[in-house]
Amino acid sequence: MTKEFAPDLSVKLGRLHLKNPVSVCSGTFGYGEEFSDFYNPSELGALVTKSVTLEERAGNPPPRIVETPSGILNSIGIQNVGVKRFLEEKVPFLQTLKTVRIVSVAGSTQEEYVEVVKMLEGTKGIDAVEINISCPNVKEGGMSFGVSAGSAAALTAAVRRATAMPLIVKLSPNVTDIVEIARAVVDAGAEILSLVNTFRAIAIDIKTRKPALGAVTGGLSGPAIKPLALFHIFQIALKMDVPVIGMGGIMTGDDALEFVFAGAHAVAVGTANFIDPFTPLRIIEHLKEYCRLNNVLKFTSLIGEAKKQIG
Amino acid sequence: MTKEFAPDLSVKLGRLHLKNPVSVCSGTFGYGEEFSDFYNPSELGALVTKSVTLEERAGNPPPRIVETPSGILNSIGIQNVGVKRFLEEKVPFLQTLKTVRIVSVAGSTQEEYVEVVKMLEGTKGIDAVEINISCPNVKEGGMSFGVSAGSAAALTAAVRRATAMPLIVKLSPNVTDIVEIARAVVDAGAEILSLVNTFRAIAIDIKTRKPALGAVTGGLSGPAIKPLALFHIFQIALKMDVPVIGMGGIMTGDDALEFVFAGAHAVAVGTANFIDPFTPLRIIEHLKEYCRLNNVLKFTSLIGEAKKQIG
Amino acid sequence: MRKCEMGDGLFEFEIECLQIAEHATPGQFVQVRPAESGNPLLRRPFSIAGVDGKNLLLLIKQVGQGTSLICRKECGEHLDVIGPLGQGFPVPCEDKKYLLVAGGYGIAPFIFFTARHRHAQGEILYGAKTKNEIKFFAGHFSDMTSSGWNVSCITEEKIDGKSGLVTDLLEKDLCIRSEYEAVYACGPVGMLRKVAQIAKNYNLPCLVSMESRMGCGFGVCLSCAVPIKTVGTPVYRLACCDGPVFRSEEINWEKL
Amino acid sequence: MRKCEMGDGLFEFEIECLQIAEHATPGQFVQVRPAESGNPLLRRPFSIAGVDGKNLLLLIKQVGQGTSLICRKECGEHLDVIGPLGQGFPVPCEDKKYLLVAGGYGIAPFIFFTARHRHAQGEILYGAKTKNEIKFFAGHFSDMTSSGWNVSCITEEKIDGKSGLVTDLLEKDLCIRSEYEAVYACGPVGMLRKVAQIAKNYNLPCLVSMESRMGCGFGVCLSCAVPIKTVGTPVYRLACCDGPVFRSEEINWEKL
Ligand SMILES: Cc1cc2nc3c(=O)[nH]c(=O)nc-3n(C[C@H](O)[C@H](O)[C@H](O)COP(=O)(O)OP(=O)(O)OC[C@H]3O[C@@H](n4cnc5c(N)ncnc54)[C@H](O)[C@@H]3O)c2cc1C
Ligand SMILES: Cc1cc2nc3c(=O)[nH]c(=O)nc-3n(C[C@H](O)[C@H](O)[C@H](O)COP(=O)(O)OP(=O)(O)OC[C@H]3O[C@@H](n4cnc5c(N)ncnc54)[C@H](O)[C@@H]3O)c2cc1C
Ligand SMILES: Cc1cc2nc3c(=O)[nH]c(=O)nc-3n(C[C@H](O)[C@H](O)[C@H](O)COP(=O)(O)O)c2cc1C
Ligand SMILES: Cc1cc2nc3c(=O)[nH]c(=O)nc-3n(C[C@H](O)[C@H](O)[C@H](O)COP(=O)(O)O)c2cc1C
Ligand code: FES
Ligand code: FES
């Protein structure tokens, strides 16, 4: 085999075909257009938009971001333009892209999710929806949909009935048993899982002695959470057979490989986009190079190696 | 007030009186004696021993430790000398100390915990027991006692019946709702809570494509988990009225203050002991200095400031 | 990259980057990466203090971990910079007079502004904590003067028995002069708030350059929210791409 | 601290620390902190390669993040070091001969050993990857020779048509000589395993210095477990305080 062979990086996630296994995390890539100054998002295997809600949302009061050791804590509060403006202003750009375009959907009630998904249904330029179940559930008193198997499954089933599009459910890691939730949403119709969302966290400002974020509680992302994210993905890989998009602290190609060996079928870059917007492209190159150096013809043969090895 | 006034750092945790609010975490300070080359452990407000089980334990196969961004992942496997040798070989040194000496107890069954506690009962040199409920529960199929309110409460109640000593329960953060577990163990007789234990995590070795730890899964500690630990402590401070020993990534005096403002009545230093064995003493000095500079006469007035401020 | 320490933790950096130097306008900023290793993770924003051919001038004050790491870099080392970012100050009208108010390193965008807009003229009011700071900028101040801008300084530290805030200078100046087209301000938020108030009292349009914690600097993380005056539900605009320069009456100062 | 690059990412450090220098014995190690900022968090262990008055000699090979950070430190910078730690090699008997086997930077403790025990004598077998490595240590080797130790080297890279492993040298040496009291070895685990096997074949006592990931270096974290031969339940000993020097027949090589 010559050194210059082109490894096949493509991967199938349920009904979605990605030309390479590198996507970007919701909330870290805007609506796609913001990155076109840096590179053409069509180079990505997939992209996920900022979560979209029924009504426009202003977001939380500042400060919205604090740095912690190897991590960042955010409380953006799903600031977004709302589904109507999204369809009018943001989808036209998505339609120009040659990649898998995933729209993240959020809401405070089951009805809100369903309504947003119905409005997206049948729109050119949208290939799949990702349900962000980490939003506070207003009806259940502020806990998020994603922390109870019952509410996560009910929400998934309702959205499933509302759309024929490929359905991704994005799991919250703030649970005792991720596999319980994962099974519930897959049984309810999720075709692909994506995880992890951020970890609940706070920081205190020593000077004011108050919580450092305007919204008090935030979500931790970045390299600090990588070993925690890997744990959750590995649990699912050990016990279930479902395509998983892995994320949480991926900064380098080696980080991405860790997720793949742990069982992720594809990976998504989040916080790293803020620091080096070219991270996803560097990772695609790294994976290609890794496959070449290790004579891996098909990227997919690397998925879940860590599981195979412990039997 | 002169600059040289001596602030009162003492704090009462239930029936325990600490001369200062700085302790050390179980498993990071050996049995106390190991640090006497560096300083006299009597300078600490309290100390907690490595968890002791009924029988001696050899621990897990190596590698037992891996570094992750701003954190370390360990799978020691409660290697310890067993309660019998502990009483014979380790307690005599504890008896020489002038500080609050807390013995951490672990086990695979409720009966094991109870038996160990009974053997410790009435021993000179032991001021309290801390129940480590993050151990895998053999009877309930390997999940730990600490992740279900029911098993955590049952274990606490059983230990409570077995001892008249002050009872600390150390909580696992790997749960959906820490307050639910905290309430259950306090109702069952815990006088003091200590948290957090490590977070479940894994790392993959890129070269072997296998889990990097011999035992596959490990626990994450160090600065990476600080914002997560603070979240859990803050939740308890908001909703309960129980003395809390806070820990998780404390490296500096400012870190300790964050925990205190979030609601911890005392703090414990863990991973930092490995890197700079003098960390606890530096933190005591820092707290003293902070009180002096801010005209704080009694350290205890700082506890939970973040809660007061958000009302 | 070349750097030079001016003293008191203040550094002047010269960075070769044609791409940025060509497109930069006064009031825009760049995002500098403090550490490859990832602690701290995020880039740090700095106003562009000037361009010189393909070089970029920055003034960086050491205040925390990120700025310390940047200021510790050696001459010749590569600095990872993204920019130019944000909306700068509008181009001044040739026949109008402007009042530029700066506090501390807030002078940075005005060094660029006055160098770029030699045709315009007006007054620069500069407030510093210490008299040292005034010395550091002596060279820049004389450049400004020769570009037709008049510079007045004040310090919180007493010089010849006098001390005060830049907003005191502003009050005094506006008391006696009224020919200004607008006030442009850059500095700590407390100063900006007061400048906005004073400009309003004198019925002058006022533009302020707002600082905010920034996650990305290019409009995707939504962390740099600046509260905007509205009735009803709060509205935020982004310091990194809607700003950092805002009209002062737009801003909801009470929520800051 | 003073450092000097020997080449190929190998550095010699001289650190002033009377406290450690006074008490150190050959085979002991120190724990060096790579970064104040905490990435990586843990200290890194290095064998003490010698003491000179109040100075400590270390040989450090750059292999990853921690060693790179240490090797990037400037002369004169302070190095945060804890030690001396662990149990070294036992003091040799004056009238006995010893066979010291080293691979790569595993030569470090033997530089100290031969300098300290000038009265003892014997053979040093040194294996390296490249011929450069042998050049780096030329000075140390001639010191050893003048202390009465005989040095033989071999490289994996061909020199004058010859190449091989240090264990090949060992086999050859033991074939023709049998007067040794014991074999002491330090190097990569694969080499140690083979040395232990060969020594066993020749019925010679063998001590090996084991590497292990270390969390603390002073016996509290229990992360440096070395599997010990037993029947039934596994037993571990701690590389940092029971070792790093162990009797080779104690070690359960299969579990490594
Ligand atoms: C548009 C813009 C232009 C700027 N131009 C310059 C410039 O020309 N020269 C210059 O020296 N600095 C400038 N700054 C400020 C500079 O970005 C901060 O000083 C720097 O990010 C601090 O990083 P650090 O890691 O050293 O401090 P940190 O350790 O992050 O923080 C130190 C202290 O500063 C506070 N702080 C940090 N960042 C901010 C912020 N963005 N806003 C308010 N408070 C903050 C923290 O709360 C903390 O109290 C500018 C900021 C913005 C937003
Ligand atoms: C008792 C003892 C004495 C030592 N003496 C010396 C010496 O004199 N000179 C010298 O240069 N080095 C010595 N070492 C090895 C040195 O400690 C490691 O090379 C160093 O810790 C690597 O740190 P790093 O951050 O650069 O590499 P890392 O990024 O941590 O790791 C780089 C690679 O090395 C592997 N690795 C890291 N640490 C160890 C370890 N302890 N054991 C096995 N593999 C490891 C990793 O798995 C990885 O593949 C000694 C080690 C021990 C335990
Ligand atoms: C600033 C910010 C905004 C985010 N917004 C969203 C969002 O709108 N919807 C969502 O599902 N996840 C959101 N996330 C979570 C990310 O998609 C991702 O799950 C998480 O950050 C972990 O990946 P990372 O560590 O690589 O960033 C956000 C994360 C950050 C840092
Ligand atoms: C090497 C190691 C061993 C530990 N052993 C124990 C133990 O035996 N019992 C226990 O309750 N906690 C144990 N812990 C958890 C610590 O007590 C502490 O809860 C945790 O490390 C968080 O604090 P830190 O981030 O400051 O280390 C251990 C932690 C480490 C790193
Ligand atoms: S800093 Fe990220 S949107 Fe402004
Ligand atoms: S390294 Fe911590 S016990 Fe050996």
Side-chain angles (χ1 to χ4, degrees), chain A residues 207, chain C residues 29 44-47 59-61 63-67 105 108 210-214 244:
Chain A
K207 283 183 207 135
Chain C
F29 66 97
R44 297 296 190 259
F46 302 100
S47 299
L59 289 181
I60 302 187
K61 169 101 184 156
V63 299
Q65 200 193 359
T67 46
Y105 57 73
M210 301 295 291
E211 282 203 8
S212 169
R213 305 247 185 108
M214 292 187 175

Side-chain angles (χ1 to χ4, degrees), chain B residues 262-309:
Chain B
H265 298 63
V267 297
V269 175
T271 300
N273 288 313
F274 305 156
I275 299 155
D276 177 359
F278 293 96
T279 307
L281 302 193
R282 289 191 214 285
I283 291 175
I284 295 169
E285 267 322 299
H286 185 92
L287 294 181
K288 235 182 247 168
E289 196 55 28
Y290 181 87
C291 287
R292 272 199 208 107
L293 288 174
N294 293 276
N295 284 328
V296 174
L297 291 173
K298 291 182 73 60
F299 159 79
T300 49
S301 68
L302 298 173
I303 298 168
E305 278 276 303
K307 183 178 70 172
K308 290 180 216 159
Q309 299 228 18

Side-chain angles (χ1 to χ4, degrees), chain D residues 41-59:
Chain D
L41 276 174
L42 297 174
R43 290 172 183 267
R44 297 294 188 260
F46 302 99
S47 300
I48 299 170
V51 301
D52 182 5
K54 56 189 177 192
N55 288 332
L56 211 61
L57 188 76
L58 305 181
L59 289 180

Side-chain angles (χ1 to χ4, degrees), chain B residues 72-127:
Chain B
I72 66 173
L73 196 52
N74 88 79
S75 65
I76 306 303
I78 319 252
Q79 173 176 347
N80 79 97
V81 296
V83 65
K84 209 163 148 285
R85 280 182 56 200
F86 172 74
L87 287 167
E88 287 163 13
E89 299 169 20
K90 308 299 178 183
V91 168
F93 176 78
L94 293 181
Q95 287 170 345
T96 68
L97 298 179
K98 290 198 174 51
T99 181
V100 171
R101 295 141 301 183
I102 301 167
V103 177
S104 171
V105 174
S108 306
T109 63
Q110 194 167 298
E111 295 72 28
E112 186 179 346
Y113 281 92
V114 168
E115 198 155 341
V116 174
V117 169
K118 280 189 177 152
M119 288 174 72
L120 298 174
E121 186 73 5
T123 306
K124 204 173 139 278
I126 304 180
D127 301 304

Side-chain angles (χ1 to χ4, degrees), chain A residues 24-28 49-52 65 72 74-76 78-79 104 106 130-134 170 195-198 219-223 225 247-251 268-272 274, chain C residues 220-223:
Chain A
V24 288
C25 300
S26 175
T28 68
T49 67
K50 176 77 190 164
S51 292
V52 176
I65 195 168
I72 65 173
N74 88 80
S75 64
I76 306 304
I78 320 255
Q79 173 175 348
S104 171
E130 175 175 280
I131 301 301
N132 172 2
I133 61 174
S134 312
K170 179 160 177 187
L195 66 156
V196 297
N197 213 315
T198 54
L220 186 67
S221 66
I225 68 167
M247 67 198 75
I250 296 178
M251 306 295 284
V269 175
T271 299
F274 305 156
Chain C
V220 298
C221 74
L222 311 180
S223 62

Side-chain angles (χ1 to χ4, degrees), chain A residues 36-278:
Chain A
S36 45
D37 277 354
F38 297 115
Y39 61 88
N40 184 343
S42 293
E43 296 191 40
L44 297 170
L47 69 78
V48 185
T49 67
K50 176 77 190 164
S51 292
V52 176
T53 54
L54 189 58
E55 307 293 339
E56 184 161 348
R57 285 202 193 176
N60 287 326
R64 291 180 174 185
I65 195 168
V66 177
E67 278 173 288
T68 65
S70 296
I72 65 173
L73 195 52
N74 88 80
S75 64
I76 306 304
I78 320 255
Q79 173 175 348
N80 78 98
V81 297
V83 64
K84 209 163 147 284
R85 279 183 57 199
F86 172 74
L87 287 168
E88 287 163 11
E89 299 169 19
K90 308 300 177 182
V91 168
F93 176 77
L94 294 180
Q95 287 171 345
T96 68
L97 298 180
K98 288 197 174 52
T99 181
V100 171
R101 295 142 301 183
I102 302 168
V103 177
S104 171
V105 174
S108 306
T109 63
Q110 193 167 298
E111 295 72 27
E112 186 179 348
Y113 281 92
V114 168
E115 198 154 342
V116 174
V117 169
K118 280 190 177 154
M119 288 175 74
L120 299 174
E121 186 73 6
T123 306
K124 204 173 138 278
I126 303 180
D127 301 304
V129 289
E130 175 175 280
I131 301 301
N132 172 2
I133 61 174
S134 312
C135 285
N137 176 340
V138 176
K139 286 207 181 151
E140 289 200 3
M143 285 292 273
S144 94
F145 288 99
V147 299
S148 123
S151 59
L155 177 61
T156 306
V159 171
R160 179 71 292 175
R161 284 190 296 272
T163 180
M165 282 190 279
L167 178 58
I168 305 166
V169 173
K170 179 160 177 187
L171 302 181
S172 162
N174 300 303
V175 297
T176 305
D177 183 3
I178 194 97
V179 174
E180 185 200 356
I181 314 274
R183 285 210 173 108
V185 302
V186 168
D187 289 348
E191 295 166 78
I192 302 165
L193 300 178
S194 88
L195 66 156
V196 297
N197 213 315
T198 54
F199 286 78
R200 295 163 307 188
I202 66 164
I204 309 287
D205 184 325
I206 298 294
K207 283 183 207 135
T208 63
R209 302 180 184 175
K210 275 196 295 194
L213 290 175
V216 180
T217 302
L220 186 67
S221 66
I225 68 167
K226 190 182 66 169
L228 310 173
L230 285 167
F231 172 85
H232 284 111
I233 287 161
F234 192 57
Q235 292 310 304
I236 290 178
L238 283 177
K239 296 183 188 151
M240 297 174 67
D241 185 22
V242 58
V244 165
I245 305 172
M247 67 198 75
I250 296 178
M251 306 295 284
T252 67
D254 277 350
D255 292 337
L257 282 170
E258 274 196 83
F259 278 79
V260 171
F261 295 148
H265 298 63
V267 297
V269 175
T271 299
N273 288 313
F274 305 156
I275 299 155
D276 177 0
F278 294 96

